[in-house]
């Protein structure tokens, strides 16, 4: 066999291999991750009020598998459908606080525990809330399409959804019955979710829409800022008086002009420094929580200058 023939054969084999590689469908490689938590029990109980709102109770047993990757377990978040959730209440004594919680457009109930939980620990906790406006009007009937919060990286060994059976017209998927409740049970892989539909005759309840009023944090800060400025400005004046200054003439130069003119900014910055000092976090002047760009160093420098001038 001549070198030219051998070369053509090898080139043909190489071309065939290239064609196979380029024409093969892409194969998606799944990253293997070790779970750090496991949910052994995820139990949800639902009953309706006369206005169509849902009383929802959660009972969860959460097991910590790893406390090195993200530290010990101190709080968890459980997904809820939307903003129309109110009256969040802890019902087990191992919860320090339970509240509605938002991350971007996603909504949760956040549960903060009293203790830390380490690898091998299990914590069973419970809380309740009221969900409004979760039904869809279908004319003579209304439908509740309920998908409990799921867990993208955590397996659920056993879920139980219990829905009080009074006046139910139909359900989907099929369910069992237990003590006055229709019941769905199963297990969920990480990221898997379960959805149920519960249908009622519209005439059986007085279905009413309800708006949950929730204070906007930005609005609260807008109200808090002038109050903080006033309180801290008064506090600064009292401190100066106790240090020996005399303001017999409140229209005088120092109070009405040079000192008090800068008092608003100083009060904000001083409050900011006091609130954050010693916490090991980024300084308030960097975050500008109170809408001022004054740093605590500039404030201290100004105060020292004032005291020297008054001496």
């Amino acid at each position: 066999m001549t070198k030219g023939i051998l070369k053509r054969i090898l080139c043909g084999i190489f071309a065939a291999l290239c064609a196979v590689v380029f024409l093969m469908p892409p194969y998606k490689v799944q990253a293997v991750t070790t779970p750090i938590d496991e949910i052994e029990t995820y139990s949800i109980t639902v009953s309706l009020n006369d206005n169509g709102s849902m009383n929802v109770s959660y009972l969860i047993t959460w097991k910590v598998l790893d406390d090195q990757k993200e530290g010990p377990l101190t709080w968890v978040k459980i997904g809820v459908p939307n903003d129309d959730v109110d009256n969040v209440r802890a019902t087990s004594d191992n919860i320090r606080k339970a509240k509605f919680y938002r991350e971007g457009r996603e909504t949760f109930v956040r549960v903060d525990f009293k203790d830390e939980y380490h690898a091998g620990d299990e914590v069973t906790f419970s809380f309740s809330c009221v969900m409004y406006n979760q039904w869809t009007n279908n004319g003579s009937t209304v439908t509740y399409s309920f998908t409990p919060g799921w867990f993208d990286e955590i397996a659920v060994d056993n879920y139980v959804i219990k829905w009080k059976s009074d006046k139910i017209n139909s359900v989907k998927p099929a369910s069992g019955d237990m003590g006055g409740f229709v019941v769905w049970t199963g297990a969920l892989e990480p990221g898997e979710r379960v959805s149920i539909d519960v249908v009622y005759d519209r005439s059986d309840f007085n279905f009413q829409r309800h708006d949950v009023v929730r204070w906007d944090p930005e609005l609260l800060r807008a109200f808090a800022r002038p109050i903080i400025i006033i309180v801290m400005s008064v506090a600064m004046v009292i401190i100066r008086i106790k240090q020996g200054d005399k303001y017999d003439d409140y229209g005088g130069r120092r109070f009405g002009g040079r000192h008090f003119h800068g008092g608003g900014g100083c009060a904000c910055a001083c409050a900011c420094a006091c609130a954050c000092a010693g916490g090991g976090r980024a300084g308030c002047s960097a975050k500008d929580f109170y809408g001022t760009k004054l740093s605590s160093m500039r404030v201290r420098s100004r105060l020292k200058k004032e005291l020297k001038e008054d001496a």
Side-chain angles (χ1 to χ4, degrees):
M1 183 181 295
T2 65
K3 290 183 178 180
I5 295 174
L6 180 61
K7 185 175 180 180
R8 284 195 293 272
I9 292 173
L10 292 175
C11 287
I13 294 172
F14 180 73
L17 289 174
C18 289
V20 170
V21 170
F22 283 105
L23 293 176
M24 282 180 62
Y27 179 73
K28 186 175 181 180
V29 178
Q30 298 289 341
V32 178
T33 60
T34 302
I36 64 173
D37 294 304
E38 176 184 357
I39 296 176
E40 296 183 337
T41 303
Y42 186 28
S43 177
I44 303 171
T45 303
V46 180
S47 64
L48 293 193
N49 297 309
D50 289 339
N51 62 1
S53 60
M54 300 164 54
N55 299 314
V56 188
S57 299
Y58 291 78
L59 175 65
I60 300 172
T61 298
W62 194 298
K63 184 175 182 178
V64 182
L65 303 179
D66 184 342
D67 61 2
Q68 299 300 312
K69 186 176 180 180
E70 295 185 8
L73 182 73
T74 58
W75 64 280
V76 298
K77 57 186 183 182
I78 310 299
V80 292
N82 48 39
D83 286 6
D84 295 328
V85 176
D86 204 0
N87 300 322
V88 178
R89 185 170 62 91
T91 54
S92 62
D93 58 10
N94 54 0
I95 295 177
R96 181 171 59 84
K97 182 193 301 182
K99 65 177 182 179
F100 176 83
Y101 177 69
R102 173 185 288 281
E103 284 185 1
R105 294 184 177 181
E106 297 182 330
T107 51
F108 306 89
V109 167
R110 171 171 172 157
V111 176
D112 290 82
F113 299 116
K114 292 180 180 178
D115 299 316
E116 296 182 351
Y117 296 93
H118 298 266
D121 290 343
E122 294 180 359
V123 52
T124 298
F125 60 97
S126 59
F127 64 90
S128 65
C129 60
V130 179
M131 298 182 184
Y132 297 91
N133 311 328
Q134 305 301 320
W135 46 274
T136 302
N137 185 4
N138 301 315
S140 62
T141 63
V142 297
T143 301
Y144 290 80
S145 296
F146 183 57
T147 302
W150 59 93
F151 306 90
D152 288 331
E153 299 177 358
I154 306 174
V156 177
D157 297 340
N158 179 38
Y159 74 78
V160 180
I161 303 173
K162 299 191 299 181
W163 197 293
K164 196 168 182 60
S165 57
D166 289 352
K167 302 179 181 179
I168 287 180
N169 183 317
S170 63
V171 299
K172 187 175 66 174
S175 64
D177 294 304
M178 184 175 65
F181 290 85
V182 290
V183 181
W184 295 265
T185 61
L188 300 171
E189 294 295 326
E192 191 177 2
R193 64 197 72 177
V194 60
S195 297
I196 61 174
D197 288 342
V198 181
V199 180
Y200 291 90
D201 290 333
R202 186 170 176 81
S203 59
D204 285 338
F205 290 90
N206 183 24
F207 292 99
Q208 296 178 356
R209 295 289 176 181
H210 175 82
D211 294 326
V212 176
V213 178
R214 211 178 300 282
W215 282 100
D216 185 345
E218 295 295 330
L219 185 62
L220 287 176
R221 279 193 285 270
F223 278 108
R225 182 182 173 187
I227 295 174
I228 291 172
I229 291 174
I230 294 170
V231 171
M232 293 308 300
S233 297
V234 172
M236 291 292 293
V237 172
I238 294 173
I239 291 171
R240 293 294 303 277
I241 292 174
K242 288 185 176 180
Q243 288 176 344
D245 290 338
K246 294 182 179 180
Y247 295 99
D248 295 330
D249 182 4
Y250 283 87
R253 178 181 62 85
R254 287 191 296 172
F255 187 85
R258 175 171 55 84
H259 175 74
F260 192 71
H261 182 268
C266 177
C268 285
C270 292
C272 188
C274 293
C276 294
R281 299 172 181 264
C284 280
S285 58
K287 296 181 181 179
D288 200 32
F289 285 160
Y290 297 100
T292 173
K293 295 298 181 182
L294 285 176
S295 68
S296 59
M297 290 297 293
R298 289 176 59 193
V299 173
R300 287 195 292 269
S301 175
R302 178 63 181 267
L303 288 174
K304 288 180 180 178
K305 182 178 179 181
E306 293 282 349
L307 291 173
K308 285 182 181 178
E309 292 178 354
D310 293 339

